[in-house]
Amino acid sequence: MRHVIIIGSGPAGYTAAIYAARANLAPLVVASSVEAGGDLMNTTEVENFPGFPDGIQGPDLMAKMQAQAERFGAEVLYDDVVSLELDGPVKKVTLGSGKVEEGVSVIYATGSAYRKLGLEGEDRLSGRGVSWCATCDGFFFRDRTIAVVGGGDSAMEEANFLTKFASKVYVIHRKDSLRASKIMQERAFANPKIEFIWNSAVDEILGDDAVNGVRLRSTVDDSTRELPLDGLFVAIGNDPRTHLVHDKLELTDQGTIWVDGRSSRTSVEGVFAAGDVIDPTYRQAITAAGSGTVAALDVEHFLAARGEAGEPAVAESPIEGLPDAAVV
Ligand code: NDP
């Protein structure tokens, strides 16, 4: 039986793993078979994570977090959770391999998933011109004309990144001003390859076997027009990934997992949640990491109260003559 099973391997999951591992709880991290490392694996330069004044590539940051967790004894498993039994003192986590892992506690840190426009052509033409990931698919649009939908930081980041490949990038936004941070807006406005199409919604994605355009509808006067395109990148935000727990844990009106105040305690004893899956507002790598810390500390207290906590790890003192110190 594990002290704690951490589900998710983004900044929240790995930071929880670092803290739990340093507390000698030997956490198991179920990292997913295809999405290990979370959304930052699809990001290029991360410029706002403290400690990296020159920025760091998203995948490099995640590799460092994983290495840090493993250094202290976290076990990372590249598998998916297919079902959960969370009631009662033994939490059962069934994996894609069919194996069932048991834990005294669970930290649920599954992050959020790309939001879809909800249009018929979206799934049909996914991988045929429709994409949610510029860093994954941008390369295929060299010298092409493409569009990004959305007005947030993701859309600005994707649009800027895509200008490395595409000859022209439209940003289609339903309002006349952006939600994105000032610095991201200014970067996009200054990019000569980017053209903004304001007050417009995508009504239809056109093309039989591949995207060849979109039908736009004005959000001001409802008029429509067609825009020829080779590709469409959807960057309209994310929704918390709660499908495994929506009938097991209490959710908020915004669809995130409910937690008790500033803690990570969910509505089920022994189950804790962290990161984007509990956060409808801030959703930054650094806030997710902080949230993972909270979850690991809550787990420590929970286990200690039940007499199940591991012995604190002892670090050798770097100064001769001084006593070794507990690292927790
Ligand atoms: P946001 O929720 O911030 O923005 C989503 C955008 O998509 C909004 O402009 C919204 O429009 C639009 N939108 C939502 N639904 C639809 C729809 N159905 N049709 C058309 N447009 C739609 O999401 P992001 O993914 O951009 O950002 C999420 C978080 O991640 C934010 O906190 C952001 O700051 C952060 N982030 C930070 C980055 C960085 O700092 N480098 C990079 C990427 C993300 P409207 O404005 O009208 O609501």
Side-chain angles (χ1 to χ4, degrees):
M1 172 103 68
R2 308 270 181 171
H3 287 303
V4 57
I5 300 173
I6 298 169
I7 302 172
S9 55
Y14 277 144
T15 307
I18 292 165
Y19 273 75
R22 289 190 81 237
N24 247 7
L25 299 178
L28 173 70
V29 180
V30 185
S32 161
S33 58
V34 287
E35 292 176 326
D39 278 355
L40 283 187
M41 298 300 285
N42 299 326
T43 309
T44 48
E45 190 90 348
V46 179
E47 294 178 329
N48 51 11
F49 201 90
F52 298 94
D54 300 323
I56 181 169
Q57 295 293 309
D60 292 345
L61 180 60
M62 296 322 297
K64 284 179 189 293
M65 287 191 196
Q66 177 176 350
Q68 197 173 350
E70 287 176 328
R71 177 181 157 213
F72 294 109
E75 183 187 346
V76 177
L77 205 62
Y78 297 101
D79 204 341
D80 303 301
V81 176
V82 292
S83 67
L84 289 165
E85 281 178 46
L86 299 176
D87 288 334
V90 179
K91 316 299 177 193
K92 293 187 181 164
V93 177
T94 304
L95 303 173
S97 63
K99 193 170 178 208
V100 180
E101 292 284 350
E102 294 185 346
V104 182
S105 66
V106 163
I107 295 176
Y108 198 79
T110 50
S112 53
Y114 300 128
R115 193 174 288 155
K116 292 186 172 184
L117 289 164
L119 299 172
E120 177 274 326
E122 208 171 2
D123 283 334
R124 183 170 54 81
L125 295 170
S126 167
R128 294 157 182 256
V130 176
S131 173
W132 286 264
C133 177
T135 49
C136 314
D137 300 327
F139 180 79
F140 300 114
F141 294 90
R142 195 172 287 281
D143 299 326
R144 302 291 175 89
T145 299
I146 56 182
V148 175
V149 192
D153 280 334
S154 296
M156 296 312 109
E157 190 173 78
E158 303 254 300
N160 271 308
F161 177 76
L162 287 165
T163 58
K164 288 184 182 183
F165 308 101
S167 51
K168 173 99 192 167
V169 178
Y170 293 102
V171 173
I172 301 167
H173 184 40
R174 60 189 181 183
K175 291 187 182 147
D176 63 1
S177 62
L178 299 170
R179 181 192 290 245
S181 57
K182 195 112 181 90
I183 186 169
M184 303 287 272
Q185 295 195 22
E186 282 170 0
R187 215 172 277 174
F189 290 146
N191 191 320
K193 281 189 178 176
I194 296 179
E195 181 178 334
F196 283 82
I197 300 180
W198 301 105
N199 297 312
S200 296
V202 177
D203 249 10
E204 191 182 346
I205 303 170
L206 306 171
D208 293 331
D209 300 325
V211 171
N212 60 27
V214 291
R215 190 182 324 280
L216 296 176
R217 182 178 48 78
S218 162
T219 54
V220 177
D221 61 12
D222 255 359
S223 61
T224 59
R225 69 171 169 118
E226 285 186 15
L227 177 71
L229 290 174
D230 301 306
L232 183 71
F233 285 78
V234 182
I236 59 171
N238 299 64
D239 290 314
R241 272 201 201 92
T242 54
H243 62 283
L244 287 168
V245 295
H246 63 84
D247 56 348
K248 296 180 170 66
L249 302 177
E250 210 172 293
L251 302 183
T252 67
D253 291 344
Q254 286 146 312
T256 50
I257 294 175
W258 176 87
V259 289
D260 188 7
R262 295 180 63 213
S263 82
S264 64
R265 291 187 300 272
T266 70
S267 53
V268 173
E269 193 179 34
V271 180
F272 303 81
D276 281 9
V277 80
I278 66 167
D279 180 2
T281 315
Y282 301 106
R283 306 211 336 251
Q284 304 293 303
I286 191 67
T287 52
S291 173
T293 307
V294 170
L297 295 175
D298 285 345
V299 162
E300 273 188 68
H301 292 143
F302 171 75
L303 294 174
R306 294 167 54 104
E308 305 230 21
E311 289 297 312
V314 173
E316 225 171 82
S317 170
I319 303 168
E320 212 176 321
L322 283 185
D324 294 343
V327 295
V328 182

